[in-house]
Amino acid sequence: MSAWTPKLVEARLSEAAFVLKRLPEPRLSGYFSTWPEVVQSFADKVGQEPKPMRVLPSPAAISRMEETLTWTAGLEPIDGQIVWLRAYGYRWREVCRAVGLQRSSAHHHWVFGLCFIAHKLNRRHVSQHLSMQQVIDLARADDPAL
């Protein structure tokens, strides 16, 4: 990969959230049932809704997801929360309610988070003295489509 852009970061975070949703639930070890499996006949199954099929993610997708989980470590907690809520597909109204910001401010934090992660992945030093808008402008200089 030559250079990370905020769009690529957003796509990878969305993929990681999708993988996290598809992982099986953790089970407590040591608990088991001594009851036999219930075998249902065709008459018992008539009228029931089919169970949704659960497709487990591939090992490569899980590895990418594990790598992605560490990306928000350098962000402020509110920025990381907004980035992950959007990756999970939450609407802006729900994001704003969760973090207590207006939509335009929450969007600004989200774009800053994506740009900051892209700079970090490209191994560029981002000074602590730069404002959020300056970090976004640096990313726009690299990718005018942003």
Side-chain angles (χ1 to χ4, degrees):
M1 175 146 277
S2 59
W4 285 92
T5 63
K7 294 278 187 198
L8 291 173
V9 171
E10 179 186 6
R12 180 68 83 82
L13 286 167
S14 296
E15 180 196 19
F18 183 68
V19 169
L20 280 170
K21 288 179 190 177
R22 291 186 343 192
L23 288 176
E25 295 292 323
R27 295 184 185 192
L28 296 174
S29 62
Y31 291 97
F32 61 93
S33 175
T34 58
W35 285 84
E37 285 289 322
V38 177
V39 178
Q40 295 181 344
S41 67
F42 178 75
D44 294 334
K45 292 183 179 182
V46 171
Q48 290 184 359
E49 291 291 323
K51 290 184 181 179
M53 219 172 103
R54 187 171 194 133
V55 179
L56 296 177
S58 69
I62 293 173
S63 297
R64 287 191 304 272
M65 180 264 311
E66 288 173 342
E67 175 190 353
T68 307
L69 289 176
T70 62
W71 288 359
T72 57
L75 292 173
E76 293 291 322
I78 193 166
D79 297 333
Q81 184 179 8
I82 291 170
V83 166
W84 277 113
L85 286 172
R86 288 297 296 165
Y88 271 98
Y90 283 85
R91 299 178 143 257
W92 279 112
R93 175 175 287 183
E94 297 160 342
V95 171
C96 294
R97 189 175 296 135
V99 298
L101 294 174
Q102 291 182 353
R103 190 201 182 286
S104 59
S105 181
H107 184 268
H108 194 71
H109 280 268
W110 176 67
V111 171
F112 165 74
L114 295 178
C115 292
F116 184 82
I117 292 170
H119 284 308
K120 194 166 68 169
L121 292 174
N122 290 329
R123 300 192 194 291
R124 290 192 177 162
H125 176 69
V126 179
S127 174
Q128 297 286 44
H129 302 293
L130 292 178
S131 68
M132 290 172 59
Q133 188 61 46
Q134 288 172 328
V135 173
I136 294 170
D137 291 340
L138 284 174
R140 281 198 179 125
D142 295 338
D143 184 18
L146 179 64

